[in-house]
Amino acid sequence: MSEPLALPGGTGDELARCAAKVFASPEGRRLLDHLERTYLLRRMPPQASDQELRHLEGQRCLVAHLQSLAARGLGR
């Protein structure tokens, strides 16, 4: 088995546990739900510029990464 990826602030497993702890509270869950509704479920109009679409995709990537870390920290 390979070693966990070394990341600034700790290993990937340590960061996953931190994310799980932060987002496991009712307040953290509410925040993650808000981020999901605001960025992951947001729809852009057909006339959106390439720049707007790229910006939104970056936001979605960050939210999805936080969700992934939290889920991994919870063993999902």
Side-chain angles (χ1 to χ4, degrees):
M1 182 190 294
S2 65
E3 292 189 29
L5 177 64
L7 299 171
T11 67
D13 289 341
E14 290 170 348
L15 292 175
R17 284 190 295 275
C18 288
K21 189 172 185 176
V22 167
F23 293 118
S25 71
E27 294 85 0
R29 186 69 237 159
R30 186 172 179 196
L31 175 60
L32 202 54
D33 288 344
H34 167 73
L35 293 172
E36 182 176 339
R37 284 190 313 277
T38 303
Y39 300 108
L40 292 183
L41 302 178
R42 183 176 175 197
R43 300 293 176 251
M44 296 296 283
Q47 66 271 22
S49 70
D50 185 58
Q51 194 172 23
E52 290 171 314
L53 293 171
R54 288 177 186 272
H55 184 73
L56 179 60
E57 189 57 29
Q59 294 170 327
R60 287 177 174 165
C61 185
L62 177 60
V63 173
H65 180 68
L66 290 172
Q67 288 178 323
S68 175
L69 273 176
R72 198 171 83 218
L74 292 171
R76 294 187 208 156

